[in-house]
Amino acid sequence: AALTLALVPVHVCNSFFVRPDALMILLNICVMAFSLKFLQTGRKKFLILSGFFTGLSAATKYSGGSMLIVPLAAAFLYHRNENRTVPFRELLILAGCMASGFLLGCPTSVTRFPAFWEKMSGNIEMASTDDPFEKSGWILYLTELLPLGCGWPLFLSAIAGMGVALYKRTSFGLLMLSSGTFVFVLISLSKHQVTLYTLPFVVFIAIFAGIFFGFLLSLERARLAAISLT
């Protein structure tokens, strides 16, 4: 999955131009890594770190805020496995860490709030403008933007990986499925879409392709596994 993400065209292109979207991808990976560690261990420090990096990701690129679902889903799944509900105190800690990360990365949201809000309002207005492709965001993602940004073999491998994750129903797979679905729906709501805006979901594409790659290797289908990541 890491190798795939490093080589996926839409990520490489935007990393070359050092766009903030590429930094957002790095921070999103941190969110996923610490959320997974919390899911595995239940240690609060990993929940704190995942919340902090979620806020920092949102400050880097507002669409990074969609990653807030990942630590929330991890907390829910961990406590579900322990047959209990998520303590309200943990939710407060998570919210505070997200706010801290955002304020550290974007202090002008407080120090220059009028200018910040003006820019935020402009982004909301742009997201509400008519889609030049005259298609719903989710349809555009599935039929054009994701296949274009990732390549058809990788895109189809990711879809197959989702099926594998749904079939095996491991904690990691359920975390990725629930979080990925939320992120996909949220970022595809905007009526103004370009390939660049798919990046928050591209991380999930790489992970699901990696899941499918591992599944093929377990079946001793090395050639198919290599093709799946092409």
Side-chain angles (χ1 to χ4, degrees):
L3 176 62
T4 299
L5 183 61
L7 299 177
V8 70
V10 66
H11 185 210
V12 172
C13 177
N14 288 283
S15 296
F16 180 80
F17 290 105
V18 200
R19 294 184 61 93
D21 308 72
L23 177 58
M24 174 194 68
I25 291 294
L26 173 62
L27 297 172
N28 286 356
I29 292 172
C30 292
V31 174
M32 288 181 166
F34 289 124
S35 295
L36 179 59
K37 290 293 289 184
F38 175 76
L39 179 59
Q40 294 171 335
T41 66
R43 298 179 66 180
K44 298 296 188 297
K45 70 174 183 179
F46 295 123
L47 189 67
I48 290 171
L49 287 169
S50 65
F52 175 79
F53 278 103
T54 298
L56 201 57
S57 176
T60 303
K61 189 76 175 181
Y62 294 147
S63 58
S66 61
M67 293 296 290
L68 65 86
I69 189 60
V70 181
L72 285 173
F76 171 81
L77 289 170
Y78 173 77
H79 289 289
R80 189 198 66 166
N81 293 339
E82 299 292 324
N83 295 316
R84 61 189 184 216
T85 58
V86 181
F88 184 66
R89 180 172 175 271
E90 279 191 9
L91 296 177
L92 288 178
I93 291 173
L94 191 57
C97 292
M98 290 179 182
S100 298
F102 185 81
L103 290 174
L104 180 65
C106 186
T108 53
S109 61
V110 174
T111 59
R112 298 183 60 192
F113 180 77
F116 165 79
W117 182 247
E118 181 181 356
K119 183 64 175 179
M120 178 66 77
S121 300
N123 288 334
I124 295 173
E125 182 179 355
M126 183 179 68
S128 304
T129 57
D130 292 335
D131 182 1
F133 295 95
E134 298 181 352
K135 293 182 181 179
S136 298
W138 69 272
I139 295 177
L140 194 62
Y141 271 43
L142 296 176
T143 60
E144 297 183 36
L145 297 183
L146 285 171
L148 175 64
C150 301
W152 275 105
L154 179 62
F155 176 63
L156 294 177
S157 296
I159 293 178
M162 293 177 194
V164 173
L166 188 59
Y167 173 73
K168 292 189 173 183
R169 298 181 66 83
T170 63
S171 293
F172 172 69
L174 291 175
L175 175 62
M176 292 298 101
L177 283 169
S178 58
S179 302
T181 300
F182 178 88
V183 171
F184 176 84
V185 171
L186 188 61
I187 65 175
S188 65
L189 289 176
S190 172
K191 294 183 178 180
H192 185 82
Q193 295 288 353
V194 292
T195 308
L196 169 67
Y197 297 160
T198 65
L199 276 173
F201 189 68
V202 167
V203 179
F204 293 95
I205 290 287
I207 289 174
F208 285 122
I211 290 174
F212 184 56
F213 178 82
F215 175 72
L216 291 178
L217 286 181
S218 70
L219 299 178
E220 298 183 354
R221 296 289 190 271
R223 290 185 180 180
L224 286 176
I227 293 173
S228 72
L229 297 183
T230 303

